[in-house]
Amino acid sequence: MVSGSLSHAQADPGEYGSYPLEAAEENSLMARWEKKPVLESRVIDDMEGAGGWKVNGIGEMGYTEDRARDGKQSLRFSTSVRDAAYLALPGNKSEWGSQTFSISGQAGASSVQLRFDKPQDWSAYNRISYWVYVHPTSMPRHNLNLEIKNEGGDGGALSSARSHYSNDLKPGMWNHVLFEMPHLQRDKVTMFSLTRELTGNNPGEDPIVTYDIDRLELQRVPADAYEGWAVSAGKFAFSHAGYRPEDPKIAMVGGGGGERFELVDQAGRVVLAGDVGILENKNGVFHQVDFSGFHTEGVYRIRCGPLVSDPFPIHGNIWLQPVFKAVNFYYCERCGYEVPGIHKECHKDWQGFRGDEKKVINGGWHDAGDLSQGIWRSSMAIYAMLCNLEAMQQNKGASAVRARMLSEVAWGLKYLLKTRFGDGYHIHWCRMRMFTDNEIGTVDDVVVPAQNVAWENFLAAAVESKAAMLLEGADPELAAQARAAAIDDWQAAVASRGTWDQASIEEAAWGVSSSLLMARMSGEEKYRKQAVVLGDLLLRCQEQSFVEGIPITGYFYQDTERRRVIHNKHTAFDEAPMIALAMLCKELPQHEKWMAWYSSAVLYSEFFMKRGSQIAAPYQLLPNSVWNRAEVLADKDKKHGATSLQQFNEGTRLNDDHVLRTFPIWTDSLFHGNTNIQLSSTWALAEAARLRNDAEGMKLVGKQLEWVLGANPFGQSLMYGEGYDFAPQFAYCLKDIVGSLPVGMDCRSGDQPYWPATVSATFKEMWMEPVSRFLGAVSVYASPIPQESGKDLDMQVKATQSAQGVVNLDLSIRGSGKHEIELRTFNARSEFTRKQVDLSASGEGKLQFELKVPDVNRPYVAVISVDGNPELRREVVGSYSDASILSGKPGRAVCSLRPWSLLEEFSRLN
């Protein structure tokens, strides 16, 4: 069945539209739900009589005959979106009188509730349906939170949220609200409620909202799959953004397809046909459609038996559309700025202070579905966009995207500068749950102290120095301000510690990057020296051995004390070490520690990311973390500990005491979501792959981005407004925004994806961080190294690994002239270090030498470079570790070679 609109899939993605962008709702998940057949239904309340509804909070409730969806009347629910009395309660105030929203974590709520005298069994039905008419006023934001209470359930870390937010209710019309709930226990339902969170109003917006509610019913429909690795029946898992001509192009098809597939163009012509491949592994049986060999640009669909995919493009610039939409997300999250259709100029009463200095701190971007702000969120967004601006400099088709991105960079940078208090003091974090009255001195004022956080100062300095260099021509005044701030913030970070002999991973990584960017900006050597000092600390944070014989290494600890492995559960900063290491190798190519930096990136990408991704085949989702049983058993809370141990046991066993997880181990029911973490690792892998010229690593990066944009078991694009079957997100203070990404894919059992329809915090919450990480990864992935041909040097390396810790290397060199061959090693020794090769006579030379691996419990790395230039290199990587436990295949120790010839490298750089 064909359902997707061709408006999404453009062969030439050059038409972008104006901000704020409107979603193509016909391609949304909600549009598809409306078309489902209702197999059975049961009315809970048709609102024709007094059904037992009660109001809770400051709202009002009654029945009206003004309108009804069917019958004569509907339930009318009206409330103010501000509760001044609640905001004034002492429990919501800080010691300096600021609004904190501490009592409930929100700014209040008002609801209508339908309680049942006897628990009801709704198990035979899997969907809730009701209708709501929104009274039109000057208030542009409308949502209702549906909640189903059921007896039983422990409410623990692996329990499903029972509240579901319906966003973007349209004024002046009946809205049909649908919620599929096969994942919820519903055998003893005691209450159904609809809640309006009191998220405030801007001056000029009506504070009263009124909703007429009608025909609440249960339905049974063919429900969407929500858990597991298997592709949903009748669907395709593919990149909705499309593919570049030379990309691998592998889709998967769920149940109902055939044994053959066809690639069909817009005219209905079959341009390629082939067999559907079958792959079976521990995660299931998968049916793959491989059309990697097809390179012609255009718009296509996949046909497999009776199934036909939605259309997608093959084009060289496919990533510009999702990038443009991602920047739209930032634009719509702007604070202190009127965003048409979303909110007016806001938060002019938001203040920060340091000592006696107090000032308004609105600006920048709201953080998520709520309206909070913090320096590192804004800094990461700016940094990711700066990376894209650099990457798109030579892309003539990207001028419109660059223009919008420059505007957002300037907007965010001005916020960083505005919220500085000198000496390294910034607004670290500030919770905001409502739109305020914009008047200083009233009950909704939020006032926060500035803080001095070393790693945030390093990050700010990196952003400011990078922006100063990039904006020097376009906006010299702003560039000068950024330059001065970078110097101040960097110095404050360095001065925060007398001696830098210990560091957190964030301090070390962003300390390196900011120091090198400062050196590039100023030319001063002191910054490079500090980068080397902090680089040493960064290496101390990494595990470089196969601990207790497990086949995974290269992951990082939280700090140089190495007491706790990084276990990302919500936030993640995995890109920071790889950005730093890649920058060290690029900026200091002749440094004596270059090989240590380079090898650190090799270990992370080869022995953590690549190896770890095998357990999530065929999607190759990047791994989350290595866990030690002792860490889990150290939790003495019986409830938490038992749940964590369950998740530990569901991980991939590495030995009796260690497992590898694709998804986090959750320790509470709120902070869930893996997509931000996955995209942080994706950016990290992209940086390492670019440093290593690692084509296979970059393909793995592509698989992560494709997963986000539809190549996942549920066939959904996770980016709102991009692709097909994009779902609503938790956006209760704002609206669903084109280009937003949620915190991400959840997991409740079996270390497998879990993606139910529930829209709630935090896994479905739109957030700046996954958008920033997506942009960071794309800035690398969408900028392939240009290749030329016709140069005159090529080198092939054959490596033979013995069982005695010896690796024999045979080099074959073809070309002309005289060249110096140099060997650099990590965990390997050789009598060969460098040698002159004269190819003038025969055009070919051969070298043989031996590597001795002193520690077989660690990987080894050798880099063979030409003429003193480490960019002209071949890489030999290996280990004596058996990784077969990850794939289930018979194992052996591994030695690998990078598959590029120096011919290609010379053509790129000469």
Side-chain angles (χ1 to χ4, degrees):
M1 180 176 178
V2 177
S3 60
S5 167
L6 283 167
S7 62
H8 159 71
Q10 302 173 46
D12 183 0
E15 297 296 328
Y16 301 105
S18 301
Y19 289 172
L21 296 174
E22 295 289 332
E25 293 188 5
E26 67 271 19
N27 292 336
S28 70
L29 182 68
M30 294 298 97
R32 184 167 62 79
W33 278 11
E34 285 286 356
K35 300 173 184 177
K36 285 190 176 185
V38 177
L39 307 176
E40 187 180 359
S41 64
R42 169 186 159 193
V43 175
I44 299 298
D45 197 340
D46 59 8
M47 309 303 171
E48 295 303 302
W53 291 87
K54 293 184 179 180
V55 69
N56 185 53
I58 64 172
E60 298 178 353
M61 185 204 79
Y63 290 91
T64 179
E65 294 186 0
D66 288 353
R67 67 182 54 81
R69 177 63 190 177
D70 57 16
K72 295 182 179 180
Q73 68 179 26
S74 59
L75 178 71
R76 178 163 290 175
F77 169 45
S78 181
T79 184
S80 170
V81 294
R82 295 174 59 84
D83 186 348
Y86 171 82
L87 294 173
L89 292 174
N92 282 327
K93 295 294 182 178
S94 72
E95 58 187 274
W96 50 82
S98 170
Q99 179 59 236
T100 62
F101 314 107
S102 296
I103 293 177
S104 68
Q106 302 296 336
S110 183
S111 65
V112 285
Q113 302 173 346
L114 179 61
R115 295 183 180 272
F116 304 110
D117 294 334
K118 295 182 179 180
Q120 298 199 2
D121 186 357
W122 291 1
S123 300
Y125 304 91
N126 55 22
R127 188 164 88 171
I128 288 280
S129 167
Y130 73 90
W131 293 85
V132 56
Y133 179 91
V134 179
H135 288 231
T137 69
S138 56
M139 167 62 71
R141 303 171 302 279
H142 296 278
N143 68 67
L144 287 172
N145 174 17
L146 170 163
E147 184 174 9
I148 303 167
K149 288 197 173 179
N150 194 81
E151 289 183 358
D154 61 4
L158 300 181
S159 62
S160 295
R162 305 193 65 85
S163 62
H164 168 77
Y165 284 76
S166 300
N167 305 319
D168 302 347
L169 300 175
K170 295 178 174 59
M173 63 180 289
W174 283 100
N175 296 262
H176 192 194
V177 177
L178 299 171
F179 170 50
E180 291 192 5
M181 54 178 185
H183 58 292
L184 293 182
Q185 186 178 349
R186 53 195 186 282
D187 57 337
K188 296 179 181 179
V189 176
T190 59
M191 187 185 76
F192 176 86
S193 65
L194 295 173
T195 300
R196 179 58 158 90
E197 299 286 353
L198 306 184
T199 52
N201 62 298
N202 291 294
E205 295 174 347
D206 197 321
I208 305 297
V209 294
T210 302
Y211 306 113
D212 295 341
I213 302 160
D214 205 358
R215 194 167 183 82
L216 171 64
E217 70 176 10
L218 299 172
Q219 298 177 341
R220 182 168 64 86
V221 298
D224 288 357
Y226 61 87
E227 187 172 32
W229 295 107
V231 178
S232 300
K235 300 193 75 171
F236 290 85
F238 70 100
S239 172
H240 297 181
Y243 305 86
R244 294 172 299 184
E246 301 303 320
D247 284 342
K249 306 174 191 71
I250 300 175
M252 287 188 284
V253 60
E259 297 180 353
R260 297 272 297 171
F261 77 90
E262 296 172 332
L263 193 65
V264 183
D265 68 12
Q266 285 179 284
R269 294 184 297 260
V270 176
V271 298
L272 182 71
D275 293 329
V276 174
I278 298 177
L279 173 68
E280 185 172 358
N281 61 25
K282 70 181 185 68
N283 295 321
V285 178
F286 301 91
H287 296 81
Q288 294 185 323
V289 173
D290 189 344
F291 51 105
S292 301
F294 185 81
H295 306 298
T296 304
E297 294 191 352
V299 174
Y300 303 94
R301 299 177 190 263
I302 304 167
R303 185 161 61 206
C304 186
L307 305 181
V308 182
S309 76
D310 290 309
F312 59 90
I314 294 177
H315 192 275
N317 266 342
I318 59 162
W319 293 103
L320 290 181
Q321 276 281 1
V323 165
F324 189 74
K325 290 175 180 177
V327 178
N328 175 76
F329 170 69
Y330 292 131
Y331 171 82
C332 293
E333 286 274 19
R334 281 189 178 190
C335 174
Y337 181 90
E338 181 169 357
V339 182
I342 298 181
H343 64 77
K344 295 184 179 295
E345 185 179 357
C346 58
H347 297 118
K348 290 159 55 170
D349 51 0
W350 202 349
Q351 299 170 87
F353 70 92
R354 178 193 175 198
D356 295 331
E357 182 184 7
K358 182 185 284 189
K359 59 185 177 182
V360 174
I361 57 170
N362 68 338
W365 305 286
H366 299 127
D367 174 58
D370 67 354
L371 306 170
S372 303
Q373 283 240 40
I375 178 177
W376 67 257
R377 279 92 163 166
S378 298
S379 296
M380 286 303 306
I382 299 168
Y383 193 90
M385 284 190 281
L386 289 169
C387 291
N388 276 271
L389 287 170
E390 289 178 336
M392 290 188 291
Q393 284 178 342
Q394 305 304 318
N395 189 338
K396 295 180 180 179
S399 57
V401 183
R402 279 181 53 81
R404 293 306 316 215
M405 197 173 281
L406 275 168
S407 176
E408 289 311 304
V409 164
W411 179 262
L413 188 60
K414 289 173 182 176
Y415 169 78
L416 287 188
L417 297 173
K418 175 182 181 178
T419 55
R420 297 180 69 253
F421 287 79
D423 301 323
Y425 281 83
H426 299 259
I427 300 302
H428 162 71
W429 173 246
C430 183
R431 177 193 287 182
M432 180 61 75
R433 302 297 203 219
M434 66 181 293
F435 287 100
T436 62
D437 60 13
N438 280 350
E439 296 181 12
I440 293 175
T442 60
V443 71
D444 62 10
D445 288 3
V446 174
V447 185
V448 292
Q451 298 182 50
N452 187 335
V453 180
W455 84 265
E456 292 181 347
N457 278 311
F458 277 136
L459 174 58
V463 170
E464 290 153 352
S465 56
K466 195 176 185 73
M469 290 182 281
L470 191 139
L471 297 176
E472 195 166 12
D475 192 336
E477 182 178 350
L478 184 59
Q481 294 175 32
R483 179 188 179 95
I487 294 170
D488 185 59
D489 286 336
W490 185 88
Q491 187 57 49
V494 173
S496 67
R497 198 159 305 164
T499 302
W500 280 91
D501 54 2
Q502 298 284 341
S504 70
I505 187 76
E506 295 87 4
E507 289 170 339
W510 283 112
V512 167
S513 297
S514 63
S515 298
L516 292 172
L517 286 165
M518 294 290 290
R520 192 188 302 173
M521 182 183 74
S522 68
E524 294 185 42
E525 185 61 27
K526 69 175 183 180
Y527 296 115
R528 294 186 184 89
K529 290 181 178 179
Q530 187 65 33
V532 173
V533 171
L534 294 168
D536 289 343
L537 299 181
L538 179 57
L539 295 181
R540 284 169 53 189
C541 294
Q542 187 180 38
E543 180 58 64
Q544 297 188 339
S545 297
F546 296 110
V547 175
E548 297 182 24
I550 66 173
I552 298 292
T553 190
Y555 50 87
F556 285 88
Y557 295 87
Q558 292 179 344
D559 52 40
T560 48
E561 294 186 354
R562 299 165 62 90
R563 293 177 180 173
R564 187 169 176 80
V565 172
I566 291 175
H567 300 309
N568 294 315
K569 299 177 185 178
H570 184 68
T571 58
F573 302 98
D574 288 357
E575 70 284 337
M578 293 303 112
I579 290 172
L581 291 166
M583 204 177 294
L584 279 166
C585 290
K586 180 179 179 180
E587 298 291 326
L588 304 173
Q590 302 303 325
H591 198 280
E592 62 182 2
K593 295 180 180 179
W594 184 91
M595 191 60 193
W597 304 327
Y598 184 88
S599 298
S600 177
V602 171
L603 267 58
Y604 174 84
S605 55
E606 200 71 31
F607 295 96
F608 184 26
M609 291 293 99
K610 284 187 181 180
R611 277 196 175 183
S613 71
Q614 295 179 46
I615 68 173
Y619 302 94
Q620 264 74 40
L621 212 61
L622 297 180
N624 178 270
S625 187
V626 171
W627 280 85
N628 188 318
R629 186 183 300 273
E631 296 177 272
V632 177
L633 296 179
D635 187 345
K636 301 304 180 183
D637 185 296
K638 290 185 178 180
K639 187 174 182 180
H640 291 168
T643 303
S644 296
L645 185 59
Q646 173 190 333
Q647 295 172 86
F648 175 89
N649 290 332
E650 291 172 342
T652 297
R653 180 182 176 276
L654 302 178
N655 64 15
D656 288 344
D657 294 317
H658 292 84
V659 301
L660 181 67
R661 292 268 308 182
T662 297
F663 291 90
I665 287 181
W666 311 113
T667 54
D668 62 66
S669 61
L670 177 61
F671 289 104
H672 283 230
N674 189 58
T675 302
N676 175 59
I677 301 167
Q678 175 203 357
L679 286 171
S680 180
S681 299
T682 302
W683 188 357
L685 179 60
E687 293 285 350
R690 178 167 60 181
L691 169 65
R692 300 176 61 201
N693 297 321
D694 180 4
E696 292 304 311
M698 205 61 85
K699 288 177 184 177
L700 188 53
V701 169
K703 288 187 73 70
Q704 312 309 305
L705 297 174
E706 290 170 7
W707 166 282
V708 171
L709 297 184
N712 53 63
F714 315 106
Q716 291 185 25
S717 170
L718 305 189
M719 177 178 281
Y720 189 81
E722 171 65 18
Y724 307 101
D725 282 5
F726 49 86
Q729 296 178 12
F730 182 74
Y732 74 108
C733 284
L734 294 157
K735 289 184 173 183
D736 279 313
I737 297 173
V738 171
S740 65
L741 285 168
V743 178
M745 199 74 75
D746 202 355
C747 172
R748 299 288 167 148
S749 66
D751 199 22
Q752 61 185 346
Y754 177 82
W755 195 238
T758 304
V759 175
S760 66
T762 60
F763 81 117
K764 283 282 182 75
E765 184 171 8
M766 65 182 186
W767 196 23
M768 282 181 66
E769 283 310 289
V771 177
S772 299
R773 274 36 188 263
F774 175 83
L775 285 177
V778 169
S779 73
V780 182
Y781 180 70
S783 304
I785 299 170
Q787 300 287 340
E788 299 177 9
S789 60
K791 298 299 177 178
D792 61 353
L793 187 66
D794 178 51
M795 178 168 65
Q796 299 297 323
V797 182
K798 179 182 178 182
T800 304
Q801 178 177 288
S802 76
Q804 290 75 38
V806 175
V807 181
N808 294 301
L809 298 182
D810 293 296
L811 277 66
S812 175
I813 307 159
R814 291 183 292 107
S816 61
K818 295 180 180 180
H819 303 280
E820 183 176 72
I821 309 299
E822 181 183 8
L823 174 69
R824 299 191 195 190
T825 61
F826 168 85
N827 190 35
R829 303 191 186 104
S830 177
E831 295 181 359
F832 177 93
T833 55
R834 66 180 66 236
K835 185 177 180 64
Q836 292 283 338
V837 176
D838 189 350
L839 308 179
S840 302
S842 65
E844 185 174 3
K846 293 184 181 295
L847 292 173
Q848 293 181 332
F849 56 92
E850 180 179 271
L851 299 179
K852 292 184 178 179
V853 180
D855 186 352
V856 295
N857 196 42
R858 304 172 77 194
Y860 59 85
V861 184
V863 173
I864 305 161
S865 59
V866 180
D867 297 332
N869 188 342
E871 294 297 322
L872 306 179
R873 61 179 180 263
R874 292 299 307 270
E875 177 191 290
V876 177
V877 179
S879 78
Y880 286 84
S881 168
D882 181 0
S884 60
I885 197 170
L886 302 173
S887 63
K889 298 177 181 179
R892 58 182 177 83
V894 175
C895 175
S896 64
L897 306 170
R898 289 277 61 77
W900 312 277
S901 71
L902 286 175
L903 174 65
E904 294 171 323
E905 295 298 319
F906 266 75
S907 64
R908 177 170 71 87
L909 296 166
N910 289 344

